[in-house]
Amino acid sequence: MASEIQKLRSEKKNEIYIMREDLLSFSMGGNKVRIAEVFFQDMQKKKCDAMLIYGEKHSNLCRVLSNLCCSKGILCVMICSHGENEEEKVTNNTRFIEWSGTEIVHCKKTEIAETVEAQMNRLKEMGKKPYYIYGDKTGRGNEGTAAAAYAEAYEEIREFEKKMGWEFDYIFLPSGTGATQSGLLCGHFQEEDKKKIMGIMISSREKERMFSIIQEGIEDYHKKTGKILKSGYEKEIFLLDKYRIGGYGLYDERVKECIRRQYRTNGIPLDPIYTGKAFWGMEEYIKEKNIKNSRILFLHTGGTPLFYDFLQKEEESCKC
Ligand SMILES: *Cc1c(COP(=O)(O)O)cnc(C)c1O
């Protein structure tokens, strides 16, 4: 698996490149293609034969995992959580999940653990050996598995640098569960290079909690692979919490403007929940810290179906 790294136009003070993970060649791409792949392999390694997944109705991970299970003939059950005042609207990802034939079980955000347990039991009673992607019913214990995806992808970044004969100074990316950032950090620690990996928080999740989840991902990965983790590594975990604009899924005109501008200047689709918000956050950070003469890589983590959700919303709000 590989995606392309391209240079962006119209950036003056720095050179900005973008790694097009949105163009990975399965199920409309995105970081979840690599992550779904490692979960699937882990399921096979553990000799399980049914997949239990969890997410919201517009989840990119659930789209890709559903599609992957469907294409491999593996039973997939999705626990779909709902917040209190959420819009009930069907999204593009909801449709794709349905198309894959995934069985959907709805539950409240406060009832996830019970629902996971009940579904695991139900699948066992059906004679299946189910695999829950997040480990135990509280969602712990499998952090290092997802991290492996981007520890590997880091090699592709290193190869690009070797080809160019220089190194990036920064990598920016949207950080949600932290799996992608954990993985990149694992790659970075193994290579012992100088890059700073900047996770832009896109949700209102507590920063300390997010930090400790990333740490767990890194430590679990090193434990599972038997690699040595240097002490004091935590100092290199950078999380920016200034650009969340109120929390997950919330955005304003600044993000919209950034999305339109990137489309116009570079022909790149960004969505307002992850990549658009993070790209805007990166630009703000560069301005605030007056970063100059640097080589910067933005990891385009995908979410193309969300880009089309956004496009439709623009259409609906258009008074023309
Ligand atoms: C899931 C997702 C992220 C966040 O990745 P994590 O590994 O959960 O931090 C970012 N962008 C897109 C498009 C995603 O689907």
Side-chain angles (χ1 to χ4, degrees):
M1 211 174 323
S3 75
E4 202 160 315
I5 296 179
Q6 330 170 314
K7 191 170 172 186
L8 292 187
R9 275 191 54 218
S10 73
E11 303 296 338
K12 292 175 197 79
K13 290 186 176 159
N14 299 288
E15 286 184 10
I16 301 189
Y17 289 77
I18 189 163
M19 183 165 176
R20 300 292 305 273
E21 295 291 274
D22 59 318
L23 299 181
L24 289 174
S25 64
F26 181 71
S27 197
M28 280 141 298
N31 61 344
K32 300 310 168 357
V33 175
R34 293 188 197 261
I35 292 174
E37 196 72 47
V38 293
F39 276 137
F40 200 87
Q41 285 164 6
D42 191 46
M43 178 196 77
Q44 290 177 317
K45 207 174 82 197
K46 289 176 176 149
K47 306 241 179 304
C48 296
D49 59 4
M51 179 87 87
L52 181 63
I53 66 181
Y54 158 74
E56 298 181 24
K57 62 185 186 310
H58 52 263
S59 162
N60 290 313
L61 179 61
C62 291
R63 173 191 80 239
V64 181
L65 276 170
S66 290
N67 202 347
L68 190 58
C69 286
C70 177
S71 73
K72 308 253 187 199
I74 290 286
L75 175 67
C76 183
V77 177
M78 170 182 177
I79 297 174
C80 183
S81 73
H82 298 264
E84 286 288 308
N85 334 301
E86 244 173 70
E87 283 183 69
E88 279 313 307
K89 243 178 121 185
V90 165
T91 69
N92 286 315
N93 278 336
T94 324
R95 284 275 181 258
F96 289 130
I97 294 165
E98 286 169 359
W99 273 12
S100 300
T102 292
E103 194 186 316
I104 301 174
V105 177
H106 296 276
C107 85
K108 291 203 191 103
K109 281 236 166 75
T110 49
E111 295 169 349
I112 299 161
E114 297 99 286
T115 314
V116 169
E117 196 166 36
Q119 290 303 316
M120 289 297 276
N121 288 336
R122 184 176 69 91
L123 287 165
K124 282 176 199 158
E125 278 158 22
M126 285 164 64
K128 290 284 179 188
K129 197 168 173 230
Y131 173 85
Y132 179 49
I133 54 170
Y134 292 129
D136 68 14
K137 67 174 181 180
T138 66
R140 310 312 286 261
N142 208 18
E143 290 83 359
T145 300
Y150 275 85
E152 273 172 42
Y154 200 81
E155 293 305 309
E156 293 172 26
I157 298 171
R158 295 287 297 176
E159 273 161 34
F160 179 81
E161 291 176 326
K162 274 190 208 123
K163 202 175 74 192
M164 302 301 278
W166 45 254
E167 247 192 58
F168 287 110
D169 301 295
Y170 296 91
I171 301 177
F172 285 87
L173 76 154
S175 225
T177 66
T180 308
Q181 191 174 352
S182 306
L184 291 175
L185 283 162
C186 289
H188 163 71
F189 294 140
Q190 291 308 313
E191 295 288 344
E192 301 185 46
D193 60 17
K194 301 228 160 48
K195 273 184 284 301
K196 282 189 171 166
I197 297 166
M198 316 297 286
I200 300 179
M201 292 182 73
I202 47 85
S203 76
S204 50
R205 181 182 269 187
E206 234 182 284
K207 191 173 173 180
E208 285 69 37
R209 184 166 149 69
M210 176 99 193
F211 197 91
S212 78
I213 291 173
I214 290 179
Q215 264 186 297
E216 257 166 74
I218 293 168
E219 285 176 18
D220 191 35
Y221 170 83
H222 282 80
K223 203 169 72 198
K224 280 191 172 124
T225 56
K227 291 181 172 149
I228 293 161
L229 181 59
K230 65 177 178 186
S231 62
Y233 76 89
E234 318 82 52
K235 289 196 290 291
E236 292 177 51
I237 303 176
F238 300 108
L239 274 172
L240 308 179
D241 61 359
K242 239 180 113 176
Y243 313 104
R244 330 195 232 196
I245 318 186
Y248 186 80
L250 302 175
Y251 55 93
D252 60 17
E253 196 51 43
R254 296 170 295 179
V255 175
K256 291 194 204 174
E257 194 278 323
C258 175
I259 294 173
R260 294 186 200 116
R261 185 161 41 80
Q262 275 317 312
Y263 176 75
R264 287 177 191 137
T265 48
N266 292 300
I268 288 171
L270 298 174
D271 76 88
I273 302 171
Y274 296 103
T275 54
K277 189 185 268 188
F279 198 94
W280 168 78
M282 172 181 78
E283 290 182 327
E284 290 297 300
Y285 184 84
I286 290 171
K287 267 188 263 170
E288 282 163 28
K289 300 283 171 195
N290 198 19
I291 295 173
K292 280 187 279 203
N293 308 322
S294 296
R295 292 196 173 100
I296 297 168
L297 180 66
F298 181 79
L299 190 77
H300 190 317
T301 45
T304 302
L306 306 177
F307 167 74
Y308 287 106
D309 287 339
F310 171 67
L311 207 57
Q312 195 176 348
K313 275 211 186 107
E314 287 265 285
E315 171 96 19
E316 284 159 8
S317 65
C318 176
K319 303 280 183 292
C320 44

